[in-house]
Amino acid sequence: FVLKVSNGKFPLKSAPNLPTFPHRLSSQHRSMPAYLFLFLIASLANGFIPGISPTVYKTNDNVDLFMNELTSIKTQIPYDFYSLPYCKVENVRKRSENLGEKLEGEVKESSGYKLKLNQQVFCSVICEKKLSKGNIEKFQKAISDNYSVQMSVDGLPVAR
């Protein structure tokens, strides 16, 4: 905008070479929102967006149970699940569900629990472990600091 002075008043006049708003979009630009919308629908339909593609399970298929990090509302310091002396599986698998979890550094670790689809198991022993006094104190400290772990099955939270 250009400021012109006339008769002691200061009216605002638009500059001659600037477009007036709202300006008209060219025909190419007018169809851009439609193309973006169609791309989004096609991406959702084909499962191109990470973290939302469905998994199909059959009866007796293995279903992975992952443990998220240990978190506390009291201390605000997260720890890896296996930083406490739990029964640790031989080959711990780590994974992030989506890009957001990767950027936040959130990593889920595999657990020793064996789950199969459509099979009810009420109690099973993963391992037997004798805890030292130091390990017992680690668990007691975590409990007193209100630490908990989020479990997830197929990317969905199941327990805290």
Side-chain angles (χ1 to χ4, degrees):
F1 291 100
V2 176
L3 184 65
K4 293 187 176 185
V5 178
S6 70
N7 297 333
K9 297 181 183 175
F10 301 97
L12 289 177
K13 304 273 182 173
S14 61
N17 295 333
L18 294 176
T20 57
F21 291 96
H23 65 281
R24 298 183 67 122
L25 294 173
S26 69
S27 62
Q28 288 177 326
H29 291 98
R30 271 186 272 167
S31 60
M32 187 63 70
Y35 288 132
L36 290 174
F37 179 74
L38 289 174
F39 174 75
L40 178 65
I41 295 299
S43 296
L44 290 174
N46 292 320
F48 290 137
I49 297 177
I52 63 168
S53 59
T55 304
V56 178
Y57 294 102
K58 296 176 187 157
T59 301
N60 295 328
D61 279 353
N62 290 326
V63 181
D64 293 324
L65 176 68
F66 282 88
M67 304 296 193
N68 206 343
E69 58 195 8
L70 297 165
T71 56
S72 170
I73 57 173
K74 187 176 179 183
T75 65
Q76 303 295 316
I77 301 171
Y79 292 104
D80 288 338
F81 176 70
Y82 288 110
S83 63
L84 287 177
Y86 292 107
C87 292
K88 191 171 185 176
V89 295
E90 284 186 27
N91 298 320
V92 176
R93 293 187 329 264
K94 296 185 176 191
R95 79 174 194 200
S96 297
E97 296 289 327
N98 55 42
L99 180 62
E101 288 181 357
K102 287 179 184 177
L103 292 174
E104 290 177 353
E106 187 174 316
V107 177
K108 294 181 174 134
E109 298 174 304
S110 58
S111 69
Y113 296 100
K114 306 291 182 206
L115 303 178
K116 291 194 176 276
L117 191 71
N118 289 336
Q119 278 193 355
Q120 291 186 2
V121 177
F122 295 102
C123 185
S124 64
V125 177
I126 294 175
C127 75
E128 292 184 21
K129 187 174 188 175
K130 185 161 176 73
L131 296 176
S132 66
K133 185 175 181 181
N135 286 343
I136 292 172
E137 289 172 355
K138 284 182 184 179
F139 276 113
Q140 288 174 334
K141 175 81 170 122
I143 292 168
S144 68
D145 286 340
N146 295 328
Y147 274 93
S148 65
V149 65
Q150 172 106 24
M151 293 185 259
S152 64
V153 174
D154 196 29
L156 298 172
V158 293
R160 174 165 231 125

